[in-house]
Amino acid sequence: MNIKEYKELLNKIEGSTIALVYVFEKDVTEGFQHYDPWKSDVISDWLKAIQELHCMPFILDVRTFAQKALAGTLPQIDYIVNLNAGTNKLSTLGLVPSICAFLNIPCIPADTETTLIGEHKRFSNLIASALHSNVPKDLPISNPDGIFRPLNYGSSHGVQLGFPGKIQESKYLYQQFVPGFDMTIPILYNPISEELNTLPPVMYLPDEVSIYWFLGEKEKLGHTGYKKVITKITESAQNHFTKLAKEFGIATYCRIDTRVYCNSLNDIELFTDKEIELQRINFIEINPLPTIRNGINFHTSFEAIEKDSDLGKCIKYYADYFGTYSFVGYILSNSIISLIKATH
């Protein structure tokens, strides 16, 4: 796509009605319990993004959205941003995109199939393995050296070393623990190349550096005990993970969480001046509903995009067109353009 076509699509987006469908933080009824609902700061950043694109916002909670959709009382909506995440029951994550499909309204970031397959760790691990990703092997629960992960939770909820003696979860992964460091790879649609691109990966290094540390629930919630470091991966690794994202059905954006194998602390030197090779990178999970707001890891990666890269140039075209730009606004515009291109 050339610059002229890109700006024509940005012009086409203007004036659209974009709905934000979220869940109340205190909605704790049986079918809608959340272990980590998104807060108002997420909704606020998306609302500002809609305004930045010169579009009309329509904000409503999941229950009202479902009721109005089934009653046929929704106004004209062009695009829907699904902000229903962090639910205890995996199936409820498919509610918003399923209704969108029923109404034939494009849903951002993903449809039901992609959302549920991606969020189900067993399925996503099997798909990644089939596509020749490095995936930690399963361990028997008698092995004390594994890492336990509930199948359908994010935010490191319930993740721990060793198998719990008594657990409430009936579905889980218990896998080999990979010595090394956690690294997340954001992926975003690039309207100029019309392809998914990897953004600069973010590695989490603990304050007390150890290859046996991992980003757990406590650290993630408190944002303490570690620092984020921008690193690089080889071109073959970039191609591998964008291809993997496509196989999951990702068309807009996602995040792939990985574990980079290290034999010793000396390997840290490999992450400063050199690119990390694919064979060191272990697939942990794909997140088709990553949190998008200022200050989050996706934002950290976005800020590290090189200005002369394809995405960097596209950001400049976006900023020139609107006279300003925000991280969330740019992601929203790219997502809409991806969905427009998919229907033509």
Side-chain angles (χ1 to χ4, degrees):
M1 182 188 304
N2 59 41
I3 301 173
K4 180 182 178 182
E5 291 172 327
Y6 173 60
K7 292 187 176 181
E8 286 175 350
L9 285 173
L10 290 178
N11 180 261
K12 185 177 181 179
I13 292 171
E14 291 191 54
S16 300
T17 297
I18 303 175
L20 301 179
V21 181
Y22 69 98
V23 65
F24 282 119
E25 183 179 352
K26 298 301 182 182
D27 191 342
V28 292
T29 52
E30 181 62 26
F32 243 10
Q33 292 184 1
H34 283 64
Y35 64 89
D36 186 23
W38 284 335
K39 309 297 191 297
S40 58
D41 54 355
V42 176
I43 300 172
S44 174
D45 283 349
W46 279 104
L47 183 60
K48 292 175 183 176
I50 293 171
Q51 182 180 21
E52 183 173 293
L53 296 182
H54 304 158
C55 293
M56 291 290 293
F58 186 58
I59 310 172
L60 67 171
D61 67 283
V62 175
R63 290 181 183 278
T64 303
F65 170 65
Q67 290 166 358
K68 284 183 171 292
L70 296 177
T73 58
L74 282 172
Q76 171 63 36
I77 297 174
D78 298 296
Y79 304 97
I80 289 175
V81 178
N82 177 20
L83 300 181
N84 174 38
T87 60
N88 289 6
K89 293 182 178 180
L90 181 60
S91 296
T92 59
L93 292 181
L95 179 59
V96 172
S98 291
I99 294 175
C100 289
F102 178 75
L103 299 175
N104 198 29
I105 301 175
C107 183
I108 298 169
D111 61 18
T112 302
E113 181 180 1
T114 296
T115 300
L116 296 184
I117 291 176
E119 291 286 348
H120 193 293
K121 292 185 179 64
R122 173 63 68 188
F123 289 159
S124 64
N125 271 241
L126 289 172
I127 292 171
S129 180
L131 295 173
H132 310 294
S133 298
N134 299 320
V135 176
K137 67 179 183 180
D138 290 339
L139 294 179
I141 63 175
S142 58
N143 190 316
D145 299 323
I147 186 163
F148 174 88
R149 304 178 190 276
L151 281 187
N152 61 316
Y153 290 159
S155 301
S156 297
H157 186 78
V159 178
Q160 68 176 76
L161 290 175
F163 193 85
K166 293 182 179 180
I167 60 171
Q168 295 180 343
E169 299 296 330
S170 59
K171 298 178 180 179
Y172 56 83
L173 286 179
Y174 189 61
Q175 296 175 313
Q176 179 183 22
F177 177 76
V178 178
F181 301 98
D182 291 315
M183 180 178 72
T184 190
I185 306 171
I187 292 176
L188 176 65
Y189 176 78
N190 181 347
I192 301 299
S193 66
E194 300 184 65
E195 294 285 349
L196 293 176
N197 285 178
T198 60
L199 275 60
V202 178
M203 181 171 285
Y204 301 91
L205 293 180
D207 294 340
E208 297 182 9
V209 182
S210 167
I211 60 175
Y212 300 103
W213 180 89
F214 69 96
L215 185 61
E217 181 178 4
K218 179 181 177 181
E219 291 80 6
K220 215 163 193 178
L221 288 175
H223 304 288
T224 58
Y226 65 90
K227 62 180 179 180
K228 298 178 182 179
V229 177
I230 295 296
T231 188
K232 296 179 180 180
I233 58 177
T234 62
E235 184 176 352
S236 63
Q238 294 177 44
N239 293 337
H240 175 84
F241 288 111
T242 53
K243 180 180 179 182
L244 181 63
K246 289 178 187 177
E247 291 292 340
F248 275 98
I250 299 297
T252 56
Y253 59 88
C254 72
R255 204 185 69 235
I256 295 179
D257 294 340
T258 68
R259 184 79 176 173
V260 179
Y261 170 74
C262 292
N263 185 49
S264 71
L265 291 179
N266 293 332
D267 288 345
I268 293 180
E269 297 177 2
L270 297 172
F271 311 144
T272 54
D273 300 321
K274 298 181 181 180
E275 297 175 334
I276 301 173
E277 298 179 342
L278 180 59
Q279 57 263 35
R280 278 187 177 268
I281 306 173
N282 292 267
F283 175 91
I284 300 300
E285 62 183 84
I286 184 170
N287 188 344
L289 284 174
T291 306
I292 301 295
R293 67 166 173 79
N294 289 318
I296 206 71
N297 43 25
F298 215 117
H299 185 213
T300 301
S301 175
F302 185 87
E303 290 291 296
I305 295 174
E306 296 180 357
K307 293 183 178 180
D308 60 351
S309 68
D310 288 343
L311 272 174
K313 293 175 183 177
C314 187
I315 293 170
K316 185 179 184 304
Y317 301 147
Y318 174 92
D320 289 344
Y321 182 88
F322 288 110
T324 184
Y325 86 93
S326 69
F327 154 66
V328 184
Y330 179 70
I331 288 180
L332 177 58
S333 70
N334 285 18
S335 299
I336 293 175
I337 289 174
S338 173
L339 297 176
I340 290 175
K341 297 294 289 185
T343 57
H344 289 80

